[in-house]
Amino acid sequence: MSAAAMRRAVIVGVHPDQSVAVVVEAARLADALGRPLVCAYVTEDSYLTEWDRAEVREQASLHPADTASAEAGVARELAAAIATALASVDGLADPDWTLRILAGDPGKALARIGEELDARLLVVGTRGRGVEPALEEWLGGSVAAHLARDQVRPVVVVPTHGIADDRLAPPR
């Protein structure tokens, strides 16, 4: 899909073990708005990219073309899981979507791609409930809160706690 075709897309943040409900809701919104869907996966352990000074930070470091073999495997699993999830949604006729791999802080990376594509809106899910999600949020912050506070475009947060559905890919 060309960069021009992705303009004004609906962007959804995706990651392994995420609820399928987030991607399905984003696909429904994209379909209703007549926009393509861009699934954005921010590679794990890539936060240090954001610490580089802007003048020395390379574009390729924020949009990696080459990923480590482990990350490439995760991306392939996510792409397959997204395709399966979208194929099973009633009323969606072959949605137009793509998977982008990003690096850096998840909130900043999603905001960055939103700016680059002049996104129509951004979609993220909640972390869920329990000790582990609470600890992750305390340590890393909430991507949804960061986007809602700092973003200039609409942000949709899909609640995932209490949803017992499929996951995009098995956790690592």
Side-chain angles (χ1 to χ4, degrees):
M1 188 181 319
S2 72
M6 288 192 290
R7 304 274 315 153
R8 303 292 291 156
V10 170
I11 297 174
V12 59
V14 296
H15 60 84
D17 198 36
Q18 179 180 31
S19 172
V20 169
V22 178
V23 173
V24 168
E25 189 60 34
R28 286 183 176 140
L29 287 167
D31 184 57
L33 295 169
R35 307 304 323 152
L37 178 66
V38 175
C39 301
Y41 169 57
V42 183
T43 60
E44 294 179 9
D45 302 328
S46 64
Y47 295 88
L48 294 178
T49 303
E50 298 289 345
W51 292 5
D52 292 340
R53 292 188 326 270
E55 62 270 12
V56 298
R57 189 183 311 141
E58 295 179 18
Q59 179 69 8
S61 71
L62 299 174
H63 297 284
D66 298 321
T67 58
S69 60
E71 290 296 341
V74 171
R76 280 192 299 274
E77 289 177 12
L78 276 173
I82 291 166
T84 300
L86 294 180
S88 67
V89 178
D90 291 333
L92 284 183
D94 195 25
D96 189 13
W97 70 277
T98 188
L99 177 64
R100 294 276 303 267
I101 309 297
L102 307 174
D105 173 77
K108 290 179 181 178
L110 290 172
R112 201 170 44 244
I113 194 171
E115 180 71 24
E116 289 172 16
L117 299 179
D118 190 25
R120 178 65 185 92
L121 57 91
L122 300 169
V123 180
V124 293
T126 58
R127 281 207 171 114
R129 295 191 176 161
V131 174
E132 188 174 330
L135 182 60
E136 286 176 6
E137 187 166 332
W138 182 73
L139 291 173
S142 167
V143 173
H146 170 77
L147 288 171
R149 180 181 60 246
D150 298 334
Q151 193 51 237
V152 296
R153 63 198 80 254
V155 177
V156 175
V157 181
V158 179
T160 61
H161 47 276
I163 297 177
D165 70 345
D166 294 332
R167 300 294 176 178
L168 284 180
R172 297 239 168 241

